[in-house]
């Protein structure tokens, strides 16, 4: 029995048949169907179970506002929970399952919750599961998670690609119904850059769902023709399947385009979805309106749906899963439903119109002044109970009930900035109000225009006005004649009576729950929402909020606008987290930076470490080395005994030029720079304005007006930013120019007693490298390898005789290989960041662990470097009393009293006999390593009055790891304290 | 003549070209680069030297211009990048410094950057997936630095709607190339 | 957010780094009498207006200009942006 409930007409392609499965059963539909419409065409009304009570549910709507018909779509890694069947576009082979059930959909074991409903009222979880505390994690939470909740995740990696991008336009039209189409045609024909986005796969909005005529054609045909014209305009971008999810600052909008959700799977290399950031000079919200239900007892039975939704199923999808339909309405819309169904040959049992002055024009029974009080049929509607105007009760058999409670303008996006909807009494609903986002205007039903003609007109006029703001002259598009009927409604939000009447079907919130919340003292609507969960989860209460508010107003005796309104936050409909990530997933989460010797190092089998975005070689294992320390110890010893090479390109390099460059450096470094001679390098200490150390490095003077500064790898970006701040904001007329050259030069450290002999094989003979001609802290522009321009600095981080040599980066790989070849006779090693770190600790050089943002020059033992003779950044505040205390922390070295013992960075120093607590804290260890040169662990750390305490024995206490070690305070310069090697 | 062999920013002996659908992504290594910054109070001398050396007035903010061997790209207030053939201008910093004397600060930038030229009828679709700039409306002659996948990137419109150059810090070459290729596949 | 760059037009705020109050331009003279107090006020005392606020933004992924942006802290409306060097000169800063 295939598509037993498919009627004539509709905007589906009957020439093609699509096979799909729901809960393991096979069905057929057509292109143009949604999963919900295809199921309806097959007579399926039951599509899910409710969140809390596991009540059987069918679709309430035909769109993205759907609270009930949530399914798990696809299987395996592509399984997607909580997909609304009402917007899931049908494709061949679609596989969906109902969710939130144990057992069959028609016999859910957890439906027992429904019988327990007296105990599961608002605030139930808050009140019940508070104690005993230990039960929460082990019992209550798993139980609740199993019983309540929606679909499940696959727990596999998402196999799909997600894209993102940026679009710009003069006018963004949000929604492609009559107002949106009229606006886009008006703006498009005027030559403006227009984007028209609509969440549906078929542009036209309700024009595709109604039997209206526009001019001499149907609404659907006019929509199709208009969309075709827009698609043909080069200045218009037509974006179906695209939901504008949020309106952000300054005209920036987020939009999710579903590129491949209507396909079994995306084509290879193609994205499933694209998240667009749209920069719109003006935007026009034409999002239409959402119909709201009327609450009454058992109004959640499968088969009870909104009137406009039923018209969509009947008119657009030719699917009516019933022989008899009843209609419950408080406005004229219900009569439109009756007329449409009659025209389709569907029997209309009755129109139950709560208004006593209900029109009686059609060929169907109208029960004026009557209301529906109950519905029967657990798994599918069988009949409704009606209370007539005269007080009598009548039961009407029907399989579908179409409820029309009036229309709510879709004000969602107007709230994302500062808009606050205002009450419109004629509409009995909220319309956009307050201060809208700059550049945003609203047209059509979203603005409260309830006739087709008014929508067309307001869309065109709003487009003209928006473009006029931009200086673009547009003329309202020629608009076809359309219905212009007045909107007549007598508000009715719920039918009083016994039993449970559902306000929010997704969260199982009833009229009773709202009343209970009120009795318990909840006054604010926002509190009501959080207490009852009304308006939460995937549909965000699009069909529920106003009903909840109305009941609240009734309880408080206030009007609805006095009671308040809930505002909406982005996103308009759910967005997969993967779409926010876009292409930035896995290894592409962020870019990496590679050093000039990276490819060479990779070939040597180097182990890499991430340093910010940089990938740096950490050590270079050799055959037989199974443990990292073997490699690192070897690299350290070989460097100290002969010579080692290390890629130090990642250190920031900043070119500083200008006639007042020296003066500039003098102001940003704490120590003096004005008199640094050309051809010399000086260590520089840079402070923040608060006197803390910002960074350190060396600066070389290549010419009177030309310096090259180095920064630490970590601070390269921050230091450059700081220097630009000083240059532009503090001393704008100082003649100094700065630019980063970090990546222009491949720079290698060559360190060790044989460093000079090795370099002499590389540097062209014209350059004398003797200690006399090129002493410690010298620098020069030289040539290497037969004429390549290079820079040479005699500086040392390791404490050995050392140089740093720089060549244009493209030659860095070749230079590394040349250095290694030339170094073979000295058994030269290439060392990584780990050996670099060991050697700097052995030498007592401060690095990132010590320059941690809380330390001053005094702490680092360099207090004397801060020149008092000049005004440099940080010099004044470094003189604060509190920073100069006699017991200030000072950097010193530590070794274990028993050389076989170990300690860790982060340990705190405590006197031998004192209790290990904060009051007795003497300082803390910052850097620790095994020194292969000394054969035991060494450390650097900050100790109160440390310089005067050499020889003292303390405890290094690490209460986190429960380790204590007796340590002796020593000089931080473990190696060559006199500094003879660097000057050799 | 030295005997060190150069590597391209992507780490090969010769530059790489990818053809993906209608798009061509080409690693460009044949141009030398130097930054040229006008010194304080030297505007007249700077303008004179610029016209004499390059044959053109340095372009306004957000623009680039070319003349003969040279192209000039505005990169910041009082600052431009000068481009010339690497073959003849490997020592571009010295050449430009000789032309400007004390009126400008010159810094060699050739190897600080990787340049990819992207070309094809779908180049705008590619750029829209990468860069927040309104590339669809960028005119030939526009040049501005922006951000692509977290990487600072100079975007140069060589031919409106058809050809762009992207210049990013050299160490990002692999990541930027990956971003370009991945985005190209999604629209190819 | 879009920052209206005075030279380059509206640019996405993701190209920028934020620093804070534009008062940071008014650095005191470290050699002046009472410099310690002046620096204390300069570095640590800030107004927190509900309304227009002048603040420093750095076009880090752009032309590396520091800008003084005037933003309404209540609405995020940006009413102007100037080159910080121009503002600094206008406030009497030079060398």
């Amino acid at each position: 029995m295939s598509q037993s409930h498919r009627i004539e007409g509709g905007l589906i392609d009957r020439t093609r048949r699509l096979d799909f499965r729901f809960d393991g059963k096979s069905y057929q539909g057509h292109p143009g169907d949604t999963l919900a419409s295809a199921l309806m065409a097959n007579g399926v009304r039951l599509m899910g179970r409710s969140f809390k009570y596991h009540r059987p549910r069918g679709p309430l709507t035909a769109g993205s506002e759907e609270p009930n018909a949530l399914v798990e779509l696809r299987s395996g890694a592509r399984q997607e929970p909580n997909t609304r069947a009402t917007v899931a576009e049908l494709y061949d082979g679609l596989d969906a399952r109902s969710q939130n059930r144990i057992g069959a959909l028609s016999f859910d074991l957890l439906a027992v919750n429904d019988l327990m409903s007296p105990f599961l009222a608002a605030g139930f979880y808050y009140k019940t599961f508070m104690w005993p505390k230990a039960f929460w994690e082990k019992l209550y939470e798993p139980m609740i998670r199993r019983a309540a909740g929606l679909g499940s995740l696959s727990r596999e990696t998402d196999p799909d690609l997600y894209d993102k991008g940026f679009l710009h336009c003069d006018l963004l039209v949000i929604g492609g119904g009559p107002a949106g189409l009229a606006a886009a045609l008006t703006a498009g024909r005027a030559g403006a850059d227009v984007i028209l986005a609509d969440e549906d796969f078929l542009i036209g909005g309700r024009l595709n769902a109604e039997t209206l005529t526009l001019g001499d054609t149907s609404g659907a045909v006019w929509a199709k023709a208009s969309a075709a014209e827009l698609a043909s305009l080069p200045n218009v971008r037509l974006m179906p399947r695209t939901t504008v999810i949020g309106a952000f600052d300054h005209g920036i909008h987020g939009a999710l385009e579903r590129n491949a959700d209507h396909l079994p799977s995306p084509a290879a290399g193609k994205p499933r979805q694209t998240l667009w950031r749209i920069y719109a000079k003006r935007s026009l919200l034409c999002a239409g309106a959402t119909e709201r239900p009327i609450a009454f007892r058992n109004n959640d039975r499968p088969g009870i749906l909104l009137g406009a939704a039923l018209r969509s199923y009947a008119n657009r999808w030719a699917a009516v899963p019933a022989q008899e339909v009843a209609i419950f309405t408080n406005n004229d819309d219900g009569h439109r439903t009756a007329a449409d169904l009659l025209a389709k040959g569907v029997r209309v049992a009755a129109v139950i119109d709560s208004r006593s002055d209900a029109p009686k024009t059609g060929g169907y029974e109208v029960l004026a002044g009557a209301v529906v009080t109950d519905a029967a049929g657990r798994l599918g509607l069988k009949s409704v109970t009606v209370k007539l105007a005269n007080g009598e009760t009548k039961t009407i058999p029907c399989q579908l009930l179409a409820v029309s409670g009036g229309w709510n303008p879709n004000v969602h996006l107007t709230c994302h900035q500062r808009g606050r909807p205002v009450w419109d009494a004629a509409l009995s609903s909220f319309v956009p109000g307050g201060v809208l986002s700059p550049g945003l205007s609203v047209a059509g039903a979203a603005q409260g225009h309830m006739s087709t003609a008014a929508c067309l007109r307001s869309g065109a006029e709003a487009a003209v006005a928006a473009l006029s703001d931009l200086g673009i002259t547009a003329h309202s598009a020629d608009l076809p004649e359309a219905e212009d009927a007045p909107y007549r409604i007598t508000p009715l939000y719920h039918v009083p009576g016994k039993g449970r009447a559902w306000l929010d079907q997704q969260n199982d919130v009833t009229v009773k729950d709202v009343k209970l919340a009120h009795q318990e003292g909840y006054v604010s609507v926002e509190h009501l929402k959080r207490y009852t969960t009304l308006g939460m989860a995937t549909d965000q209460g699009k069909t529920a909020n106003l009903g909840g508010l109305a009941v609240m107003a009734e309880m408080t005796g206030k009007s609805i606008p006095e009671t308040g309104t809930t505002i909406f936050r982005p996103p308009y409909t759910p967005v997969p987290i993967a779409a926010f990530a876009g292409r930035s997933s896995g290894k592409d989460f962020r870019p990496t930076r590679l050093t000039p010797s990276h490819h060479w190092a990779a070939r040597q089998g180097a182990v890499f470490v991430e340093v910010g975005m940089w990938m740096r070689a950490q050590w270079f294992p050799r055959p037989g080395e199974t443990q990292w320390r073997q490699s690192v110890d070897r690299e350290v010893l070989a460097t100290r005994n002969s010579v080692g090479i290390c890629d130090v390109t990642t250190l920031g390099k900043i070119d500083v030029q200008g006639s007042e460059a020296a003066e500039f450096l003098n102001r940003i470094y704490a120590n003096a720079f004005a008199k640094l001679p050309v051809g010399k390098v000086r260590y520089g200490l840079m402070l923040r304005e608060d006197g803390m150390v910002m960074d350190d490095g060396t600066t070389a003077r290549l010419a009177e007006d030309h310096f090259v500064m180095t920064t630490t790898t970590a601070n390269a970006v921050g230091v450059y930013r700081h220097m630009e701040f000083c240059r532009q904001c503090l001393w704008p007329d100082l003649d100094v120019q700065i630019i980063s050259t970090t990546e222009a030069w491949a720079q290698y450290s060559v360190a060790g007693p044989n460093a000079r002999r090795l370099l002499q094989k590389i540097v062209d003979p014209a350059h004398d490298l003797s200690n006399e001609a090129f002493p410690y802290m010298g620098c020069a522009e030289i040539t290497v390898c037969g004429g390549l321009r290079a820079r040479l600095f005699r500086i040392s981080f390791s404490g050995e005789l050392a140089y740093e040599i720089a060549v244009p980066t493209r030659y860095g790989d070749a230079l590394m290989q040349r250095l290694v070849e030339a170094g073979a006779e000295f058994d030269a090693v290439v060392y990584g960041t780990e050996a670099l770190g060991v050697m700097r600790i052995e030498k007592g050089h401060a690095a990132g662990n010590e320059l941690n943002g809380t330390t001053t020059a005094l702490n680092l033992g360099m207090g004397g470097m801060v020149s008092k003779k000049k005004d440099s950044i940080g010099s004044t505040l470094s003189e604060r009393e509190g920073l100069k205390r006699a017991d200030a922390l000072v950097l010193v070295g530590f070794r274990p009293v028993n050389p076989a013992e170990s300690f860790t960075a982060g340990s705190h120093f405590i006197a031998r006999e004192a209790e290990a607590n904060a009051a007795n804290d003497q300082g803390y260890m910052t850097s620790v390593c095994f020194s292969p040169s000394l054969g035991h662990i060494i450390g650097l750390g900050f100790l109160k009055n440390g310089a005067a305490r050499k020889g003292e024995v303390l405890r290094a206490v690490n209460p986190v790891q429960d380790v204590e070690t007796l340590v002796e305070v020593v000089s931080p310069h473990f190696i060559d304290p006199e500094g003879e090697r660097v000057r050799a | 003549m030295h005997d060190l062999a150069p590597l391209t920013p992507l780490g090969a002996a010769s530059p790489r070209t990818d053809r993906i659908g209608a798009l061509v992504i080409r690693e460009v290594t044949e141009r030398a680069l130097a930054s040229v910054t006008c010194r304080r109070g030297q505007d007249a001398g700077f303008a004179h030297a610029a016209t004499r050396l390059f044959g053109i007035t340095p372009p306004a903010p957000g623009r680039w211009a070319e003349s003969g061997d040279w192209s000039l790209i505005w990169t910041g207030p009082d600052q431009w990048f000068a481009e010339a053939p690497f073959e003849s201008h490997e020592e571009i910093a010295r050449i430009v410094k000789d032309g400007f004397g004390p009126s400008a600060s010159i810094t060699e930038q050739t190897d600080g950057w990787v340049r990819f030229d992207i070309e094809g009828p779908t180049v705008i679709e590619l750029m829209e997936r990468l860069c927040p700039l309104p590339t669809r409306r960028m005119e030939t002659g526009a040049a501005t630095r922006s951000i692509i996948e977290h990487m600072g990137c100079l975007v140069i419109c060589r031919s409106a709607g058809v050809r762009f150059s992207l210049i990013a810090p050299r160490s990002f070459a692999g990541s930027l190339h990956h971003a370009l290729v991945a985005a190209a596949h999604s629209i190819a | 957010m879009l920052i209206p760059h005075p030279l380059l037009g509206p640019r996405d705020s993701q190209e920028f780094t934020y620093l804070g109050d534009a008062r940071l331009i008014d650095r005191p003279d470290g050699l002046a009498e009472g410099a310690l107090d002046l620096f204390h006020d300069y570095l640590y005392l800030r107004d927190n207006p509900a309304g227009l606020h002048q603040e420093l933004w750095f076009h880090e992924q752009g032309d590396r200009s520091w800008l003084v942006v005037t933003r309404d802290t209540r609405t995020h409306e940006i009413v102007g942006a100037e080159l910080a060097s121009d503002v600094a000169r206008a406030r009497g800063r030079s060398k």
Side-chain angles (χ1 to χ4, degrees), chain A residues 324-393:
Chain A
E324 289 173 304
V325 179
I327 293 162
F328 182 22
T329 186
N330 62 0
N331 67 92
D332 289 355
D333 226 58
H335 300 269
R336 181 182 281 175
T337 310
D340 281 5
L341 290 175
L342 280 176
K344 296 264 174 194
V346 180
R347 196 175 114 67
V348 176
V351 173
I352 302 130
D353 192 324
S354 61
R355 299 172 297 173
S356 51
D357 61 344
K360 296 188 179 180
T361 49
Y364 49 87
E365 185 182 9
V366 176
L367 302 174
V371 293
V372 177
T373 55
D374 198 359
R378 243 186 95 67
L379 300 176
L381 184 68
K382 289 177 177 154
S383 66
V384 295
T385 308
V386 177
K387 188 180 163 197
L388 300 171
N390 62 9
E392 286 175 17
T393 302

Side-chain angles (χ1 to χ4, degrees), chain A residues 194-493:
Chain A
V194 177
I195 294 175
L196 172 62
D198 194 289
E199 61 179 352
D200 203 332
F201 54 90
L202 189 64
I203 297 283
R206 289 217 59 83
L207 293 176
N208 293 322
E210 307 287 10
T211 51
L212 305 164
T213 53
L214 267 67
D216 52 7
T217 183
S218 75
V221 168
W222 185 82
K224 192 175 179 180
S226 301
E229 181 186 339
L230 290 170
S232 73
L233 295 175
N235 53 316
V236 176
R237 187 184 187 110
L238 197 57
M239 301 180 76
R241 300 187 178 101
T242 303
T243 306
V244 176
I245 58 166
F248 305 102
D249 283 312
H250 307 151
I252 298 177
H253 293 74
L256 182 72
E257 181 177 14
R258 288 169 291 276
N259 307 93
D261 281 0
H262 59 297
L263 305 172
S265 61
K270 304 293 182 214
R272 178 191 166 206
Q273 298 176 336
T274 305
L275 187 64
W276 295 101
R277 174 183 282 237
I278 300 177
Y279 304 85
K281 289 182 185 159
R282 291 291 179 276
S283 52
L284 185 58
L285 182 66
C286 302
T290 299
E291 199 171 23
R292 61 178 179 264
I294 302 168
F296 55 87
R297 184 178 197 175
N298 290 322
N299 63 325
D300 64 330
R301 299 288 193 213
I304 300 180
L305 72 174
L306 291 166
L310 182 56
R311 291 205 299 280
S312 299
Y313 288 117
N315 296 330
R316 176 171 170 185
W317 289 297
V320 180
Q323 283 74 50
E324 289 173 304
V325 179
I327 293 162
F328 182 22
T329 186
N330 62 0
N331 67 92
D332 289 355
D333 226 58
H335 300 269
R336 181 182 281 175
T337 310
D340 281 5
L341 290 175
L342 280 176
K344 296 264 174 194
V346 180
R347 196 175 114 67
V348 176
V351 173
I352 302 130
D353 192 324
S354 61
R355 299 172 297 173
S356 51
D357 61 344
K360 296 188 179 180
T361 49
Y364 49 87
E365 185 182 9
V366 176
L367 302 174
V371 293
V372 177
T373 55
D374 198 359
R378 243 186 95 67
L379 300 176
L381 184 68
K382 289 177 177 154
S383 66
V384 295
T385 308
V386 177
K387 188 180 163 197
L388 300 171
N390 62 9
E392 286 175 17
T393 302
K394 181 179 179 182
T395 299
I396 299 175
C398 56
Q399 297 81 49
L400 288 179
L401 176 71
V403 182
S404 293
W407 291 88
N408 296 334
N410 284 329
V411 300
H412 206 299
L413 269 78
T414 69
C415 303
H416 291 185
Q417 295 291 300
R418 290 198 304 145
R420 294 293 176 270
V422 294
W423 185 251
D424 183 320
L427 241 53
S428 298
S429 188
F430 288 99
V431 294
V435 182
L436 298 190
S437 319
L440 175 71
S441 48
V442 191
Q447 181 64 17
H449 298 291
M450 287 299 161
S451 77
T452 312
C455 285
L456 291 166
R457 210 161 45 231
S458 78
E461 286 167 2
V464 170
L467 294 183
S468 157
D469 277 2
L470 302 177
I472 302 172
T473 305
H475 303 285
S476 178
D478 287 336
L479 300 173
E481 287 221 13
E483 64 84 20
D484 205 4
Y487 179 68
R488 297 195 309 133
I489 181 169
T490 303
L492 175 66
Y493 301 99

